[in-house]
Amino acid sequence: MKNLKRFVSLALTLVLGLSLVACGSSASSAPVASAASSAPVASVGSASGEAEYAVVLKVLSSQFWQTMSEGITAEADKLGVKVDIYAANTEDDVEGQVTLLENAISKGYKAIGVAPISNVNLNNAIADATSKGIKIVDIDEKIDMDALAQLGGACYGYVATDNVAVGKLGAEYLIEQIGGKGEVAIVEGKAGAVSGESRRDGAKAAFEAAGLKIVESQPADWDRTKAYDLATNYITAHPDLKAIYCCNDTMAMGVQEAVEASGKDIKVCGTDGNDDAIKSVADGKLCATVAQDPAAVGAKGLNLMVEAVTKNAEIKVGAEVPVYGIEAVLITAENAADYIS
């Protein structure tokens, strides 16, 4: 009996301890909705009552997506509407993100913004939303609109940074920094992610236009550790490597670590304008980062959703989808101090 009481006591202590850990989570670590749950990560806006709008993001585990969520929140307050925000667990959680969108559709929102993990993973659910009269706005990751139309789905608009221009801007600065000569490489994002592929294509076009040899271009799945390992291989295999363009800042930070470990002078440019990357640029480590404005992207996405509902816009399947571009900014050692939070 004593052993049984001791076991129960230990079990209760463990449960209480886990509860305290959960309650004591840092506010700087954004909560992520379980893919199996229909509960939003956040419900924001100054309007009372049930939310008429929802946004399904990729994740909330990186600064980029946290900043986009903040932009949506600020726009909701400005417009006087309420919006529920959902996010997948990881950028590999393709099916989980589908579940989140399906749950959102079942709640009967009037409009939903989506930032799909891939260009097709949400298409079936979007087609279902279209059939129910729910307005869909594509945010950041460009959906394969032809494939969507074949399923009977449609979007009111697409809002994102011009990612081809982003890659081009970063590569052109690297070309300038190495004097227009030398071997170069690219660290790509996740295979199939259109935003990363567009940045890669923009950088590739700029390097080729300058007559530079691209010795490597491989994906590191947006991951810092994978990028470190990949860059280490690049540096070992190509002793004359002079510059590396990275399709996001998380990977760029890993690549920069690999460069520093090698002791070589290889210029590295990232993408996104994350705080740690900007500080690295200011400290003379990263060569540059191309800063997107995810808050403006999220705000514009919500604005389009409200517009579509207010106008009761007819969204025709197969019609050309209007594109709304948000400009990027090149951050270098010369202006990094202006962007440090």
Side-chain angles (χ1 to χ4, degrees):
M1 181 62 72
K2 287 183 179 180
N3 288 338
L4 177 59
K5 288 182 178 179
R6 181 177 299 173
F7 175 78
V8 172
S9 176
L10 287 172
L12 288 172
T13 301
L14 178 59
V15 171
L16 178 59
L18 290 173
S19 298
L20 290 173
V21 169
C23 292
S25 298
S26 170
S28 62
S29 179
V32 179
S34 168
S37 170
S38 61
V41 173
S43 184
V44 297
S46 58
S48 59
E50 294 295 321
E52 295 183 331
Y53 304 93
V55 178
V56 179
L57 299 176
K58 287 187 180 181
V59 292
L60 278 177
S61 55
S62 73
Q63 183 185 339
F64 179 88
W65 295 105
Q66 290 166 10
T67 303
M68 184 176 291
S69 178
E70 291 166 2
I72 294 167
T73 300
E75 188 70 7
D77 286 335
K78 177 182 173 182
L79 297 175
V81 301
K82 189 174 181 181
V83 57
D84 290 338
I85 300 174
Y86 302 83
N89 290 318
T90 69
E91 292 205 37
D92 293 322
D93 189 16
V94 175
E95 292 302 321
Q97 193 187 39
V98 172
T99 300
L100 289 174
L101 180 53
E102 289 174 343
N103 288 338
I105 292 168
S106 70
K107 287 177 175 290
Y109 295 105
K110 292 183 178 180
I112 302 174
V114 295
I117 289 175
S118 80
N119 64 336
V120 295
N121 75 297
L122 296 181
N123 280 10
N124 283 304
I126 293 171
D128 182 40
T130 300
S131 72
K132 292 177 168 60
I134 300 171
K135 319 296 184 185
I136 299 292
V137 172
D138 183 12
I139 300 172
D140 186 70
E141 188 68 43
K142 188 171 177 57
I143 292 168
D144 184 333
M145 295 298 175
D146 291 336
L148 179 61
Q150 290 177 8
L151 295 170
C155 293
Y156 181 69
Y158 169 57
V159 55
T161 308
D162 183 342
N163 283 299
V164 173
V166 163
K168 181 174 182 287
L169 185 61
E172 286 178 341
Y173 186 71
L174 288 174
I175 293 166
E176 177 185 326
Q177 294 302 298
I178 63 175
K181 298 178 181 179
E183 296 180 345
V184 297
I186 299 170
V187 175
E188 305 172 17
K190 188 173 182 61
V194 176
S195 59
E197 291 180 347
S198 295
R199 294 170 199 167
R200 173 204 64 196
D201 292 346
K204 181 180 178 183
F207 286 143
E208 291 177 343
L212 300 184
K213 182 180 179 182
I214 303 171
V215 294
E216 297 280 0
S217 183
Q218 298 181 39
D221 299 338
W222 310 119
D223 185 83
R224 182 170 181 154
T225 301
K226 289 182 181 179
Y228 176 91
D229 293 339
L230 191 61
T232 300
N233 293 337
Y234 283 7
I235 294 166
T236 301
H238 306 284
D240 295 326
L241 186 62
K242 300 299 181 186
I244 304 174
Y245 171 72
C246 304
C247 291
N248 84 346
D249 279 338
T250 301
M251 296 187 300
M253 296 299 286
V255 170
Q256 182 61 35
E257 286 180 13
V259 168
E260 291 172 11
S262 75
K264 292 192 171 185
D265 180 19
I266 300 173
K267 307 298 183 184
V268 180
C269 177
T271 307
D272 283 343
N274 288 351
D275 288 346
D276 57 351
I278 295 174
K279 186 177 186 305
S280 180
V281 172
D283 291 343
K285 296 179 179 181
L286 276 184
C287 179
T289 177
V290 184
Q292 300 190 76
D293 190 346
V297 171
K300 182 63 176 178
L302 179 59
N303 191 278
L304 290 172
M305 291 158 57
V306 174
E307 178 183 286
V309 171
T310 301
K311 291 182 176 180
N312 192 24
E314 181 183 0
I315 306 174
K316 296 182 179 180
V317 174
E320 185 175 349
V321 178
V323 177
Y324 302 87
I326 305 297
E327 290 187 6
V329 177
L330 180 69
I331 297 178
T332 68
E334 285 70 31
N335 65 353
D338 297 336
Y339 294 92
I340 293 177
S341 300

